[in-house]
């Protein structure tokens, strides 16, 4: 297995979970800007429209009040007529343009100024017209991004900020959108914005957002590579230590660069290597055959490649099922902690069963839940002591030789016998053994040989005989295509308090 796969998966995960929020925030920002821009534009258009309408209506009201009785009380001479009109047109500091037709035409209109008619009054022999210069509207227009047009009720243009010819018919331009409109009994007022200007601003905004987005992608790619390397550094170190332990080259304890839960496994790998070395040295001093068989059994049950394969399985599970990966890590730590407590040669059946369930759980993950495991134990035995790691080698053999690809049922039964001894049976419905193979296995268990492949079963049988006597030990029953049954007979241990 390539341990670099885990690093690449972490990197892809970091990239995904970094880019996705950035993309979502970018889109949310874009939509939020557009919504705020529309609201702001609508508000400003209405403010402009309100200001212009207010000015026109206030001026019209003022003009009506000032000129209501003028044609009824016309001054007697030309000078008084002109003076009165001029004073009334300028008393609010707004230069109204008047045109009075009586005996002659009186007007203060000088030059070609666009005007907006505000008031007309007919007398018996006279006609008075009051207008407002169109450029007065510029004093009201504080928002230079907007345009406005004033027309009569028939859409003839009085004035336009876009220099539409006065007198022409006003027609709606499709490029102009977000229109505010007002109409009274004399005038129409249109306020609008150029759509191309809005599009240009939107393009600038999108360009800035896209540039920012791609810059963040580049930063994410770089930082994810650095972060993935940093996050997997501890696992790389543990795998290196495991490989050193496989060739018995791990001599000194080297803690991980960063302290984490992985330090437990790292320390256990070192302790396992040290334990192997101590056991190897002890075989030269006393009872070499038995102690070497115990060492080989331990190596067979917890050799580094088992930890290595389990770690690699965890690597592949990180992306698919993080909760299961975490649970598998906890199970592996529990197994190592249990197996490496060398000071405890005996444990309760309850601890042994808990350990077996953790072991089968990990094996089931590796073999796609192909193992169906059940255990039947008399409740009175749960707190009794028994030899540690007594049943696990039997389950390991059942998994190894039971044709697990077709599914495997393993049943464990533990019960007390009448004379006080304890009976342990492990049955699997695997492929079983032929008569010749069964005879060979029984012979290997009975006649101890260190290099036999069933060293775990030999170790259990020989340990029970040495510890309890010749009446105790292991028996094997099997038939080809009918599974295998292994039984143990042990003495009843003390009660754990």
């Amino acid at each position: 297995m390539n341990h670099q796969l885990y690093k690449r998966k972490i990197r892809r995960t970091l990239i995904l979970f970094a880019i996705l929020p950035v993309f979502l925030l970018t889109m949310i920002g874009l939509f939020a800007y557009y919504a705020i821009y529309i609201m702001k534009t609508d508000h400003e258009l209405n403010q402009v429209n309100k200001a212009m309408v207010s000015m026109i209506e206030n001026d019209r009201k003022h003009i009506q009040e000032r000129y209501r009785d003028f044609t009824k009380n016309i001054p007697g001479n030309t000078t008084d007529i002109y003076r009165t009109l001029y004073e009334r047109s300028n008393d609010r500091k707004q230069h109204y343009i008047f045109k009075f037709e009586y005996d002659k035409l009186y007007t203060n209109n000088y030059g070609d100024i666009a005007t907006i008619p505000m008031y007309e009054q007919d007398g018996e022999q006279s006609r008075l017209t009051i207008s407002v210069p169109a450029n007065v509207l510029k004093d009201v227009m504080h928002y230079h991004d907007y345009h406005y047009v004033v027309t009569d009720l028939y859409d003839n243009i009085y004035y336009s900020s876009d220099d539409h010819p006065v007198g022409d018919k006003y027609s709606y331009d499709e490029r102009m959108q977000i229109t505010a409109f007002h109409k009274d009994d004399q005038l129409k007022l249109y306020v609008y914005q150029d759509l191309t200007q809005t599009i240009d601003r939107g393009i600038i905004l999108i360009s800035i957002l896209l540039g920012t987005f791609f810059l963040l992608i580049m930063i994410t790619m770089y930082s994810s590579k650095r972060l993935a390397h940093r996050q997997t550094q501890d696992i790389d170190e543990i795998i290196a230590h495991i490989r050193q332990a496989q060739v018995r080259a791990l001599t000194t304890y080297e803690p991980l660069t960063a302290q984490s839960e992985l330090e437990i496994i790292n320390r256990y790998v070192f302790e396992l290597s040290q334990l192997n070395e101590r056991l190897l040295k002890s075989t030269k001093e006393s009872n070499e055959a038995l102690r070497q068989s115990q060492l080989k059994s331990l190596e067979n049950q917890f050799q580094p490649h088992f930890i290595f394969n389990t770690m690699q399985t965890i690597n592949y599970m990180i992306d698919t099922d993080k909760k299961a990966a975490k649970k598998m890590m906890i199970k592996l730590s529990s197994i190592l902690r249990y197996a490496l407590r060398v000071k405890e040669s005996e444990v309760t059946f309850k601890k042994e069963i808990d350990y077996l369930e953790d072991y089968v759980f990990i094996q089931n993950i590796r073999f796609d839940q192909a193992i169906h495991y059940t255990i039947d134990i008399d409740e009175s035995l749960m707190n009794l002591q028994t030899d540690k790691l007594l049943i696990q080698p039997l389950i390991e053999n059942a998994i190894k030789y039971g044709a697990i690809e077709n599914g495997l049922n393993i049943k464990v039964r533990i019960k007390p016998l009448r004379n006080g001894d304890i009976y342990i049976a492990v049955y699997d419905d695997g492929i079983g053994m032929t008569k010749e193979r069964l005879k060979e296995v029984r012979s290997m268990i009975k006649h101890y040989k260190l290099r036999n492949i069933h060293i775990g079963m030999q170790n259990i049988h020989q340990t029970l005989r040495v510890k309890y006597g010749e009446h105790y030990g292991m028996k094997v029953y099997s038939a080809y295509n009918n599974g295998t049954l292994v039984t143990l007979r042990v003495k009843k241990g003390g009660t754990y308090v």
Side-chain angles (χ1 to χ4, degrees):
M1 295 182 182
N2 185 359
H3 68 280
Q4 293 295 327
L5 291 175
Y6 179 54
K7 186 180 295 183
R8 287 196 290 269
K9 287 180 181 179
I10 288 183
R11 185 180 179 188
R12 287 196 297 268
T13 301
L14 292 173
I15 291 173
L16 176 63
F17 283 94
I19 291 179
L20 185 59
V22 169
F23 175 76
L24 291 176
L25 288 176
T26 301
M27 296 305 298
I28 291 172
L30 183 61
F31 286 121
Y33 168 81
Y34 183 74
I36 293 172
Y37 180 78
I38 293 296
M39 293 172 62
K40 174 178 176 294
T41 301
D42 185 67
H43 174 74
E44 290 179 354
L45 285 170
N46 282 296
Q47 289 296 107
V48 172
N49 188 56
K50 184 186 292 185
M52 295 179 66
V53 169
S54 176
M55 187 204 74
I56 291 173
E57 290 181 348
N58 290 337
D59 283 353
R60 181 179 287 123
K61 181 179 179 181
H62 169 72
I63 292 170
Q64 288 175 347
E65 290 174 354
R66 301 292 293 171
Y67 291 97
R68 181 181 296 112
D69 299 326
F70 181 79
T71 56
K72 297 178 182 179
N73 302 289
I74 300 173
N77 59 64
T78 300
T79 303
D80 290 338
I81 290 173
Y82 187 83
R83 182 185 297 113
T84 301
L85 288 172
Y86 190 82
E87 288 176 354
R88 294 191 179 190
S89 299
N90 289 278
D91 73 331
R92 292 186 71 196
K93 298 182 181 180
Q94 293 188 1
H95 298 284
Y96 301 130
I97 296 174
F98 61 82
K99 184 183 293 184
F100 179 64
E101 300 176 8
Y102 184 57
D103 293 335
K104 61 173 68 176
L105 178 65
Y106 299 92
T107 179
N108 62 344
N109 182 12
Y110 49 90
D112 232 356
I113 301 175
T115 63
I116 301 173
M118 300 292 290
Y119 177 74
E120 291 184 358
Q121 182 178 358
D122 291 327
E124 293 181 359
Q125 299 178 350
S126 63
R127 180 180 179 83
L128 176 64
T129 302
I130 307 295
S131 302
V132 176
N135 56 13
V136 173
L137 297 179
K138 295 181 179 179
D139 298 333
V140 181
M141 174 63 76
H142 302 297
Y143 304 95
H144 303 292
D145 294 336
Y146 306 108
H147 309 279
Y148 49 94
V149 174
V150 182
T151 73
D152 62 13
L153 298 179
Y154 304 101
D155 290 330
N156 297 308
I157 296 176
Y158 285 130
Y159 181 76
S160 171
S161 62
D162 282 344
D163 297 326
H164 285 85
V166 176
D168 283 3
K169 288 284 186 179
Y170 172 70
S171 60
Y172 178 74
D173 192 339
E174 292 183 354
R175 295 177 303 170
M176 304 300 178
Q177 288 195 354
I178 319 177
T179 302
F181 175 72
H182 170 77
K183 178 181 177 182
D184 58 23
D185 57 352
Q186 295 185 36
L187 301 173
K188 290 182 180 180
L189 174 63
Y190 299 89
V191 183
Y192 55 89
Q193 183 183 38
D194 193 340
L195 181 60
T196 57
Q197 189 178 43
T198 304
I199 294 174
D200 291 341
R201 290 182 176 180
I203 292 174
I204 293 174
L205 173 65
I206 292 174
S207 300
I208 294 173
L209 290 176
L210 287 178
T212 304
F213 181 66
F214 285 115
L215 178 62
L216 288 173
I217 288 178
M218 295 176 63
I219 294 174
T220 300
M221 295 289 289
Y222 175 76
S223 61
S224 65
K225 182 177 180 181
R226 295 288 302 273
L227 185 60
H229 173 74
R230 186 161 58 249
Q231 292 296 322
T232 58
Q233 186 174 357
D234 288 346
I235 293 180
D236 290 340
E237 291 183 24
I238 291 176
I239 291 176
H241 294 168
I242 290 173
R243 287 174 174 167
Q244 291 175 358
Q246 284 180 308
V247 296
R248 296 178 57 194
L250 186 62
T251 56
T252 58
Y253 175 66
E254 296 179 7
L256 298 178
T257 304
Q259 290 294 322
S260 67
E261 291 83 354
L262 295 174
E263 183 63 35
I264 297 174
I265 296 177
N266 183 53
R267 180 176 290 275
Y268 284 158
V269 170
F270 172 76
E271 291 178 354
L272 176 63
S273 178
Q274 293 297 96
L275 175 62
N276 289 344
E277 293 298 324
R278 287 198 298 268
L279 290 177
L280 285 172
K281 291 179 181 179
S282 69
T283 58
K284 298 179 180 179
E285 298 176 359
S286 64
N287 203 1
E288 181 175 355
L290 182 57
R291 295 187 66 83
Q292 281 195 8
S293 69
Q294 293 170 339
L295 174 62
K296 290 296 181 179
S297 175
L298 184 60
E299 290 177 345
N300 188 54
Q301 294 164 35
F302 295 101
Q303 52 188 302
H305 80 262
F306 169 77
I307 304 174
F308 179 80
N309 289 337
T310 303
M311 290 292 294
Q312 290 295 345
T313 303
I314 293 172
N315 288 349
Y316 282 101
M317 292 174 61
I318 290 294
D319 288 342
T320 58
D321 193 344
K322 293 183 179 180
K323 290 185 178 179
K326 181 179 179 180
K327 185 175 182 180
M328 192 171 181
M329 181 75 76
I330 294 172
K331 297 291 187 183
L332 178 60
S333 298
S334 176
I335 286 176
L336 292 171
R337 188 180 296 111
Y338 177 88
L340 295 175
R341 284 179 179 171
V342 294
K343 294 182 180 180
E344 298 181 6
S345 60
E346 293 184 347
V347 295
T348 62
F349 274 104
K350 184 179 184 306
K351 288 185 178 181
E352 183 76 354
I353 291 170
D354 292 341
Y355 160 76
L356 292 176
E357 290 178 349
D358 290 344
Y359 176 79
V360 174
F361 175 86
I362 291 178
Q363 293 287 29
N364 248 332
I365 295 297
R366 292 183 56 201
F367 294 108
D368 296 328
Q369 304 297 326
I371 305 169
H372 304 283
Y373 168 79
T374 59
I375 184 165
D376 177 20
I377 180 172
D378 193 298
E379 286 295 323
S380 64
L381 303 178
M382 292 297 285
N383 290 323
L384 293 183
Q385 290 183 334
T386 185
D387 294 291
K388 187 172 68 173
L389 302 177
L390 182 64
I391 306 174
Q392 184 270 341
L394 308 181
I395 296 179
E396 182 180 7
N397 276 353
I399 295 173
K400 186 175 182 180
Y401 300 107
I404 196 170
E405 62 274 5
N406 298 323
L408 184 67
N409 292 304
I410 300 177
K411 298 179 181 179
V412 179
R413 185 180 183 187
I414 306 174
K415 67 176 184 178
L417 300 176
R418 292 182 179 179
N419 64 348
D421 292 341
I422 296 174
Y423 172 85
I424 302 173
V426 178
Y427 169 77
D428 71 83
D429 63 353
I431 194 171
M433 292 180 271
T434 62
K435 292 181 179 180
E436 293 77 14
R437 180 57 181 166
L438 177 61
K439 183 177 181 181
E440 182 182 355
V441 170
R442 287 175 173 173
S443 176
M444 285 189 296
I445 293 174
K446 183 177 180 181
H447 304 288
Y448 183 81
K449 293 182 180 180
L450 185 58
R451 296 184 179 180
N452 283 339
I453 60 174
H454 294 284
I455 189 68
M457 298 176 69
Q458 287 183 337
N459 176 41
I460 294 172
H461 180 70
Q462 295 297 329
T463 300
L464 294 178
R465 286 173 63 85
V466 170
K467 187 173 183 179
Y468 303 122
E470 295 183 357
H471 298 292
Y472 298 88
M474 176 189 301
K475 292 183 180 180
V476 181
Y477 308 90
S478 183
Y480 191 66
N481 288 330
N482 283 297
T484 301
L485 173 66
V486 180
T487 64
L488 301 177
R489 186 186 184 97
V490 300
K491 271 192 175 182
K492 180 179 179 180
T495 302
Y496 180 80
V497 180

